[in-house]
Amino acid sequence: MSLPFDLGPRPHLGYTQSRIDRVAERRLDTGWLSSRSNDPNTRAYVIGGELIVLKKGSAVHDAAFTPDEARALAPNTETVFLGLFDGHARFGVGITPASAEALKTRDDLVVTDLRSIAIQGLVTPEHLPPLAEAKAMLHWHARHRFCSNCGAKTDLVDAGWKRSCSVCKVEHFPRTDPVAIMLAVRGNHGLLGRSGRFAATMWSCLAGFVEPGEALEDAVRRETLEEAGIKCGRVKYLYSQPWPFPMSLMNGCLAEALNDDIKMDANELVDCRWFSKDECAAMLMRQHPDGLTCPPPVAIAHHIIRTWVESDGELF
Ligand SMILES: [Zn+2]
């Protein structure tokens, strides 16, 4: 089949291809870490809950503060060592959401959420993966200050890569939550849905958390059946994406739909239907005659849909 649209070069998938070298062996080196926290070449991302603090620039803003600048902005909650960026240490520094909110009044700063930063290109792209790393890590710390085993306070150790309970000695490690996100396909049609949270014209892949004791492929089949009443057979994993809202890992898949009669779960979706490849191509290019759209390239759904639209052979 020949495509009706020239989709052009494949865009970058947001938050991937990090230039951070995590140098995990340095996380226990407290002397080295202490010296890095005062090195003028060190940089830090400053994050208060959902809000990221940026230094205002003309074309783009700067996400990376010197250690002194980061300390001067607001009292720091946790600090995590992200790794080396071009050989220099990079940290994530937490402040309270209230502190971040208060910084919105400053003329020399921009304080906004990470989705807006990514979609609007408010910083140069190399900052997005370490910002995702820092935001997810700081969120985890903010929710794990007490031991889930005994209730006592926990301490940040290993440069932020562990919390340790001083009473029962249980160690707690940063978590990421796997999500299955999939396009069920049947012949020349793919299944897209609309959540009530979406803009009125936006359609996307179905998605849901992988549950304990469940394989990714089974989560794909279960979620598609639960949300749309569509049974799936073969599942093909495509690629993954860190998604720091708050700390997920999106696992992108194609699934072979075995029926086409949709039974939508109205608690999960406000609409769900089949789209042809031609229609999906138009949505990806923002040229759909009814103004319907897919998520932007920063989101993995855009890439999953595009992989299918551009495929012309065996999918599974
Ligand atoms: Zn404990």
Side-chain angles (χ1 to χ4, degrees), residues 139-166:
H139 173 88
W140 178 80
H141 280 287
R143 300 296 173 90
H144 291 80
R145 291 178 181 139
F146 294 90
C147 178
S148 55
N149 186 49
C150 78
K153 282 195 170 174
T154 56
D155 299 314
L156 180 154
V157 293
D158 295 4
W161 291 91
K162 191 161 80 178
R163 291 190 80 93
S164 178
C165 177
S166 57

Side-chain angles (χ1 to χ4, degrees), residues 2-308:
S2 64
L3 291 172
F5 298 95
D6 175 10
L7 298 184
R10 186 67 76 96
H12 179 71
L13 173 56
Y15 314 112
T16 63
Q17 297 177 17
S18 181
R19 283 171 56 191
I20 291 276
D21 178 354
R22 296 191 177 215
V23 286
E25 70 277 10
R26 288 291 201 183
R27 294 171 185 168
L28 302 178
D29 192 343
T30 52
W32 181 82
L33 287 163
S34 175
S35 72
R36 292 308 89 191
S37 66
N38 291 301
D39 186 284
N41 291 315
T42 292
R43 293 291 180 271
Y45 299 108
V46 179
I47 299 172
E50 291 302 307
L51 294 173
I52 314 290
V53 184
L54 307 173
K55 286 191 268 191
K56 190 179 279 184
S58 46
V60 291
H61 308 303
D62 189 2
F65 292 82
T66 67
D68 284 343
E69 287 172 337
R71 283 187 280 263
L73 283 173
N76 298 164
T77 53
E78 284 86 10
T79 296
V80 300
F81 173 59
L82 304 175
L84 299 177
F85 189 101
D86 292 345
H88 299 299
R90 199 152 284 200
F91 291 88
V93 170
I95 60 175
T96 66
S99 294
E101 193 68 35
L103 291 172
K104 285 183 173 177
T105 59
R106 279 185 43 174
D107 293 336
D108 58 334
L109 301 173
V110 170
V111 181
T112 188
D113 66 281
L114 186 54
R115 279 191 183 84
S116 301
I117 290 171
I119 291 171
Q120 298 170 32
L122 300 184
V123 300
T124 47
E126 73 268 18
H127 289 300
L128 289 180
L131 275 171
E133 180 186 352
K135 180 178 181 294
M137 285 288 286
L138 290 166
H139 173 88
W140 178 80
H141 280 287
R143 300 296 173 90
H144 291 80
R145 291 178 181 139
F146 294 90
C147 178
S148 55
N149 186 49
C150 78
K153 282 195 170 174
T154 56
D155 299 314
L156 180 154
V157 293
D158 295 4
W161 291 91
K162 191 161 80 178
R163 291 190 80 93
S164 178
C165 177
S166 57
V167 175
C168 78
K169 309 298 180 192
V170 164
E171 297 177 329
H172 303 276
F173 294 90
R175 295 279 309 275
T176 192
D177 300 321
V179 173
I181 178 165
M182 55 276 170
L183 181 66
V185 299
R186 186 158 166 84
N188 194 44
H189 287 79
L191 183 70
L192 300 180
R194 283 185 32 68
S195 152
R197 303 185 307 273
F198 289 0
T201 56
M202 167 90 86
W203 292 76
S204 187
C205 296
L206 305 187
F209 285 107
V210 181
E211 294 186 343
E214 187 174 49
L216 174 64
E217 291 83 352
D218 290 331
V220 166
R221 296 185 189 99
R222 176 182 53 77
E223 285 287 340
T224 307
L225 185 62
E226 285 177 3
E227 295 191 8
I230 299 298
K231 288 192 182 70
C232 290
R234 290 176 294 179
V235 171
K236 183 180 186 180
Y237 166 81
L238 296 176
Y239 28 71
S240 67
Q241 176 192 36
W243 190 249
F245 307 102
M247 45 187 212
S248 292
L249 177 69
M250 310 298 279
N251 296 279
C253 296
L254 293 173
E256 174 189 39
L258 301 177
N259 59 306
D260 50 23
D261 47 326
I262 295 169
K263 291 191 192 71
M264 185 184 79
D265 178 356
N267 293 315
E268 295 276 346
L269 300 172
V270 294
D271 211 349
C272 184
R273 73 168 174 89
W274 296 100
F275 288 78
S276 70
K277 273 190 179 179
D278 290 0
E279 213 173 359
C280 285
M283 291 159 81
L284 289 168
M285 301 303 288
R286 311 237 154 195
Q287 293 173 6
H288 191 282
D290 299 330
L292 305 185
T293 60
C294 294
V298 70
I300 195 171
H302 182 101
H303 298 257
I304 298 169
I305 297 166
R306 179 161 172 163
T307 292
W308 171 66

